[in-house]
Amino acid sequence: MADENWEPKIVAIICNWCSYAGADLAGGARIQYPPDVRAIRVMCTGRIDPLFILKAFQDGADGVLVSGCHFGDCHYLEGNYKAAKRMFLLKTVLKNIGLDDRRLRMTFVSASEGAKWAKVIEDVVNTIRDLGPSPLREFAR
Amino acid sequence: MAEVKKNEEPRIGVFVCHCGTNIAGSVNIQEVKDYAASLPNVVVSNDYQYMCSTPGQNMIVEAIKEHNLSGVVVAACSPRLHEPTFRNATKTGGLNPFRFEMANIREQNSWVHMHQPEEATKKAKDAIRIAVAKASLLQDLHPKSVPVEKAAMVVGAGVGGMQAALDLANAGIKTYLVEKTPTIGGRMSQLDKTFPTLDCSQCILTPKMVDVYRNENIELLTYTEVEGVEGYIGNFDVTLRKKARGVLTPDEAEARGIVGGGCNGCGDCVDVCPVIKPNPFELGMAPRKAIYIYHPQVVPLIYTIDFDSCVKCGLCVDACGDKKAIDLEMQDELMTVKVGTVILATGYDIFPIEKKPEWGYKNYDNVITSLEFERLICASGPTGGKLIRPSDGATPKRVGFVLCAGSRDNTGVGRPYCSRFCCMYSLKHAHQIIEKIPGAVPYIFYMDIRSFGKMYEEFYYRIQDEGAKFIRGRVANILEDPETKNLYIKAEDTLLGRPVDVEVDMVVLAAAVQPSAETERTRRLFGVSCSQDGWLLEAHPKLNPCGTTTAGVYLAGVCQGPKDIPDTVAQAEGAASAASIPIHKGAVELEPYFAQCIEEKCAGCGLCVNLCPYQALSLVEKNGRKVMQVTEAKCKGCGTCGGFCPGGAIWMQHFATPQIIAQIDAFLLGGEE
Ligand code: FES
């Protein structure tokens, strides 16, 4: 069903202290990566209500990336642990509603890992391109 | 209560920055600007070469007034760089500064899609649409001003930590200097001479150690570790563990009613102690007793009992006599101090160079590290300054120096970075053996000699003239003659383009440095990030090299990355100055990203109360039912509670659910087809 001009729409919700800073570092180093991801900044991945992710899929997102600090490095001690648990549960929910759970991904990228950020984006975009458009796209809007 | 004012018609101004060609090179500014003008709620859209310049900021100020804006969006670099700048401009224009939102179209767009102008332009439009959606829902917020405790803490009392503590104390600030070992002085006190001046390390350090000890504003806490940290800038509660030293200071003795008692450093106890252990200060090359001091110049001059090896025979207690300084039953003590700011100066360790077996460290007797060399050549060291080789005590005539031992190593075993001071101290070592041992020849195996500091290059020439042999090439391996214990250094001389094999009496490995063992634990307690190799991460490598991303915590010395003594002391003075600013100001503003309870929606379930890592939330009775209440001073704004509340009853200021949902919707539903 993938139409010719399909371009993936991927939302990244990322924490201010690690992944957002890591993404900025990739920029400073001019590391090139695919342009298909739009980032929304929150202070900590702990802020991420599962509702945000479900809303993104409902709106037709082809993929959602959640990225925060490494375990033990969260600026607020343990927000990322809580986020990781939520994402884990959410993946089950996605499967139950018929979405491939690879469309949701959680990664840990520190403020010094610019190259890793670029790699993560590449991986995520490749995964989503392989999976094709979200089956929910046609119901969006 | 905190809800978006529904009746307010948002009026948003968008300002697109060219950043010279940094953004304009790949993003079509005109197209983006026109697109922004077409977005709902946008009443003005403009662009400028450099939005952060004075004319750029004025543009925002004027537009706020002219168009009666309710929100401002600047599409430029990262908010981590210029959000404060544009918040200020927004404020100058008469709007609340939190009615500003930034679209990052440089670090996360033009710079990473340099060859895809079409996609970059499309992404910039999306980013602005997302930012406008959020800006349309932003509210007035007011930072909370909190008082700053007029005290500071420095963790680590090497030369950097001592300098920072002295500067703070001399600026009138009460400073706690925390050191895990029984004495201050750090690595520098283990060194013999310092390059390139050849000052005696102890001679220049000891007066500083005494200054620290005498300074009224410094509370010296040796043999003490950080156990826990709570609070935030201005109000850190740091829990410290004062390890049981087994010996009372004169003050402590007096507090116990022992008049004129306590340790006076006489050392009578050492003579009778039957337990012998290696002295870590001498890197195990000299013995110490179970009751010990590291070296004669320790500050404070108070003995310490190593309870892991003490047999509690009590001979020392008898020897101490009336001074009653020894308490074999002493326990660790926990204490909490309140400070406004903290400087970390936790220093470095030597990379365990035995991990590179090709050089034979710990396998061949006569292969030593440079720090061991420092102790062996030092007059106060285990040999009284007579350089001998470990296998037979003979004086070495031919000494090989292996530079970059474990540094600049991309094999995954060593460290990828340059340790920055090994070239220079190896040159100094070469000088020292030429000076002390007539006819001695140093062979220096190097990759490049990095002599970048003031008078360093000149020092390099001097050592060349003195007769040191330089061989450019990485040492492949070292073999030992089992009879003579002499060593054969095998390398390729890359200048001559042929292999060399040099017989020497002794080899000194200029081993890489790595963050000290406590760095990881300490940084986690203070919430400081680190770079991939474990060095603590500065807030900005160029513009904020002493700060960290945790407000109120600063860095000094090698814990932030390898540096020599002059650079360490300079950074320490910088960190002290930075750490004194909030204290002298007396108050700091906290970003108002607090959680708020929407009481109509709160069911009083209390799930959030347990989730909060800062105990900022509690349940209270209001109008006959339970609702959550936030203690703003404790809330750091992570939003963990808001991410979980099943009733959607928590409003995270500036990152509220409707604001984030609006961003998601704007991206996915609001775009051009
Ligand atoms: S701050 Fe990065 S995950 Fe919590």
Side-chain angles (χ1 to χ4, degrees), chain B residues 166 205-216 218 299:
Chain B
L166 279 171
L205 189 68
T206 323
K208 238 187 222 317
M209 289 162 66
V210 174
D211 282 354
V212 167
Y213 188 61
R214 292 234 175 93
N215 197 304
E216 286 187 340
I218 296 180
V299 172

Side-chain angles (χ1 to χ4, degrees), chain A residues 15-19 43-46 67-69 73-76 79-80:
Chain A
C15 90
N16 178 61
W17 301 101
C18 288
S19 291
M43 293 314 274
C44 174
T45 53
S67 191
C69 309
D73 262 357
C74 172
H75 196 68
Y76 308 97
N80 51 359

Side-chain angles (χ1 to χ4, degrees), chain A residues 7-53 55-63 69-83 86 89 110-117 121 137 140-141, chain B residues 22 77-81 83 87 101-104 106-116 119-120 122-124 126-127 129-130 134 520 523-525 527-532 537 549-551 591 593 610-614 636-645 648 650-652 655-658 660-661 663-673:
Chain A
E7 282 301 324
K9 285 190 167 207
I10 303 167
V11 186
I13 311 182
I14 61 184
C15 90
N16 178 61
W17 301 101
C18 288
S19 291
Y20 200 92
D24 278 354
L25 193 70
R30 314 295 198 276
I31 304 173
Q32 306 295 300
Y33 58 78
D36 309 273
V37 177
R38 304 291 178 265
I40 291 175
R41 181 171 69 123
V42 289
M43 293 314 274
C44 174
T45 53
R47 170 68 190 101
I48 302 173
D49 191 326
L51 175 75
F52 301 164
I53 289 154
K55 187 70 171 76
F57 282 120
Q58 189 188 5
D59 286 355
D62 300 304
C69 309
H70 289 277
F71 287 137
D73 262 357
C74 172
H75 196 68
Y76 308 97
L77 310 176
E78 48 201 35
N80 51 359
Y81 284 101
K82 285 160 187 157
R86 288 174 202 159
L89 284 176
S110 82
S112 63
E113 294 178 324
K116 183 173 173 191
W117 174 254
I121 298 295
R137 249 205 192 201
R141 74 172 56 214
Chain B
N22 277 310
C77 52
S78 169
R80 292 176 56 91
L81 191 65
E83 191 173 64
R87 274 191 181 159
E101 179 70 12
M102 203 151 178
N104 183 340
R106 193 179 77 168
E107 281 84 344
Q108 297 186 23
N109 188 340
S110 66
W111 278 351
V112 288
H113 315 307
M114 294 174 79
H115 314 296
Q116 293 166 284
E119 285 86 350
K122 182 162 177 274
K123 187 170 171 179
D126 287 353
R129 192 170 70 245
I130 293 169
K134 179 157 179 189
E520 179 66 14
R523 79 166 182 88
R524 290 201 168 183
L525 288 173
V528 171
S529 309
C530 66
S531 54
Q532 265 146 303
L537 200 63
T549 47
T550 300
E591 278 189 321
Y593 302 158
N610 295 327
L611 276 175
C612 177
Y614 304 109
K636 293 200 190 184
C638 62
T640 303
C641 55
F644 201 79
C645 176
I650 295 176
W651 180 270
M652 286 310 305
F655 292 91
T657 299
I660 295 173
I661 295 283
Q663 288 177 290
I664 294 170
D665 286 350
F667 166 39
L668 294 162
L669 304 179
E672 310 161 289
E673 273 310 297

Side-chain angles (χ1 to χ4, degrees), chain B residues 189-193 200 202 282 372-387 432 436:
Chain B
S189 61
Q190 289 179 292
L191 308 181
D192 179 38
K193 299 267 173 346
C200 153
Q202 280 279 10
E282 302 292 357
E372 288 166 342
F373 182 92
E374 292 284 349
R375 294 314 301 153
L376 288 176
I377 199 95
C378 181
S380 67
T383 58
K386 188 171 178 313
L387 184 67
Q432 285 177 297
K436 284 207 171 183

